[in-house]
Amino acid sequence: MAVDFNKLNKAKKELEDKSSGSIIYASKIKSPEFEFRLLPPHPDMDGLPYFERICWSIGDKILTSRETFGEPCVMEDEVEAAKALVDKYKSSRNPEQKQVAQELAQLLNDWKKCKKRSEYLLPILPIGDDDKVGEPKFLSCGLTVVKEIVNIMSNRKYQNGTPDGVADRVQGRNFTLTKTGEGKNTEYGIQPWPNSMEMPEVYYHPDKLINPVAFVKKTLKSEEHLVSVVRNYLYGDAIIEDTGAEGDAEPEAQQPKSSRETQHGTPVPTSRAAKQEPTPITSRGSRLPAGDAPAGTRRRNIMDDLENDEQ
């Protein structure tokens, strides 16, 4: 039976749509221009066209911080505790302690692998060739793009007397995101279209509006998992399996029996963390043979010895 190229091309498009997920990252857009339409904000967005997600890049992971929702962030606590260790031992006369401080400082200062940052999620409709409207997505971008969009939305020149302004289904305008340069030299720009363009009504029903707040909440991980990811990056500790944001284990009532249960002043729920001894692992997370521990585990052992000596 011959290949049906019409079906093949349709399948290709469907597979591309599935692989792209729910987010379009401005930083990963390869074309110099990307056209889209802002959707009206979901009620959970408090009337703003964007939702700010605060996250941490730790090693090769990007993890949502609970600071996004006004809660303390255990990842930031761990990083600050490690910085305190660096300050304490960077001038030590003990060469091992000084070396550990230098290694930790290098890991903490690696902006690609240990950095707090914000991303802004905007509900949009992608506009393709021949003004074809795509399915709703979240556009993930940085502060520069969001500021330009807000400036345009608040400019009287682009207001049209409707509650949603440039995001109105009938009288709103599309935007063109421009992108030039590469890497740290990448520059972004936003240009509104000169004329309004009517959008399909199906995407504007209240129960169809996509919700970035709910989307980000689903990315939350348990606190013990987040702590273990940071300690894996800094000290080589084993990563504890995520139990889900709603399934955080509660600390047991008794006092911790070892310094590991309260490493660097940040309690770890003893119901899971205290029962798992750190296993030597590489930066990629693979197990190592006994006696072949990486530098991270050596740092952990030295830190444990320091804490035990001070108690």
Side-chain angles (χ1 to χ4, degrees):
M1 182 176 180
V3 173
D4 187 331
F5 284 95
N6 289 328
K7 289 184 177 179
L8 186 66
N9 289 329
K10 182 180 178 181
K12 178 182 176 183
K13 179 65 172 62
E14 290 174 349
L15 289 172
E16 288 175 348
D17 288 344
K18 289 179 181 179
S19 64
S20 63
S22 301
I23 301 181
I24 296 173
Y25 293 92
S27 61
K28 295 182 179 180
I29 295 174
K30 295 183 178 180
S31 59
E33 292 186 349
F34 172 71
E35 296 171 338
F36 65 94
R37 176 68 155 266
L38 281 175
L39 283 167
H42 187 277
D44 288 351
M45 297 170 66
D46 295 329
L48 294 174
Y50 61 86
F51 179 69
E52 180 184 8
R53 174 199 178 204
I54 302 173
C55 48
W56 275 87
S57 297
I58 302 293
D60 60 353
K61 299 179 183 294
I62 299 177
L63 299 161
T64 300
S65 168
R66 296 191 180 203
E67 187 182 349
T68 301
F69 300 99
E71 301 175 20
C73 176
V74 294
M75 291 181 288
E76 186 158 3
D77 290 343
E78 285 293 314
V79 169
E80 290 302 316
K83 289 180 179 179
L85 285 175
V86 171
D87 290 340
K88 185 173 183 178
Y89 296 110
K90 63 183 179 181
S91 301
S92 173
R93 295 182 180 181
N94 183 314
E96 269 196 333
Q97 295 175 3
K98 189 172 183 179
Q99 182 180 352
V100 166
Q102 291 172 346
E103 291 174 359
L104 282 178
Q106 186 174 1
L107 292 168
L108 292 166
N109 293 329
D110 188 335
W111 65 273
K112 288 186 177 181
K113 294 185 176 182
C114 186
K115 183 181 180 181
K116 177 183 176 181
R117 62 185 179 86
S118 289
E119 72 169 350
Y120 298 86
L121 297 178
L122 298 91
I124 66 162
L125 294 173
I127 309 296
D129 297 336
D130 301 324
D131 294 342
K132 184 178 179 180
V133 180
E135 293 292 317
K137 301 278 186 180
F138 297 117
L139 175 63
S140 171
C141 57
L143 183 61
T144 300
V145 172
V146 168
K147 287 175 67 174
E148 289 199 38
I149 290 175
V150 169
N151 288 339
I152 291 170
M153 293 184 72
S154 60
N155 190 320
R156 289 188 302 172
K157 182 168 59 176
Y158 299 108
Q159 294 175 6
N160 50 33
T162 66
D164 294 321
V166 294
D168 183 73
R169 184 183 74 83
V170 177
Q171 299 186 45
R173 303 193 191 198
N174 299 339
F175 289 89
T176 298
L177 170 67
T178 61
K179 183 177 179 181
T180 58
E182 296 180 356
K184 286 187 175 182
N185 297 321
T186 303
E187 294 184 358
Y188 298 93
I190 289 289
Q191 292 294 331
W193 285 22
N195 301 311
S196 61
M197 175 178 166
E198 186 172 349
M199 293 284 110
E201 188 174 358
V202 64
Y203 301 125
Y204 288 77
H205 293 297
D207 58 342
K208 293 290 186 180
L209 291 177
I210 56 177
N211 184 352
V213 181
F215 178 83
V216 172
K217 281 185 177 179
K218 290 181 180 179
T219 68
L220 289 172
K221 306 294 183 183
S222 65
E223 291 193 351
E224 60 180 1
H225 173 74
L226 297 176
V227 169
S228 73
V229 169
V230 179
R231 294 179 181 177
N232 171 264
Y233 172 68
L234 294 175
Y235 312 111
D237 289 14
I239 294 180
I240 298 173
E241 181 182 357
D242 176 44
T243 57
E246 301 300 325
D248 288 352
E250 293 294 328
E252 294 180 2
Q254 68 266 28
Q255 294 295 320
K257 297 181 180 179
S258 69
S259 62
R260 191 176 305 283
E261 297 175 14
T262 53
Q263 290 290 1
H264 315 314
T266 304
V268 176
T270 54
S271 58
R272 290 180 62 88
K275 296 177 182 178
Q276 297 195 21
E277 287 298 316
T279 303
I281 56 179
T282 67
S283 58
R284 296 181 181 178
S286 59
R287 304 296 177 183
L288 288 177
D292 194 17
T297 302
R298 179 178 54 78
R299 286 193 294 274
R300 158 60 69 221
N301 293 337
I302 293 175
M303 290 299 103
D304 285 350
D305 291 342
L306 289 172
E307 290 189 351
N308 291 332
D309 289 343
E310 293 177 358
Q311 289 179 356

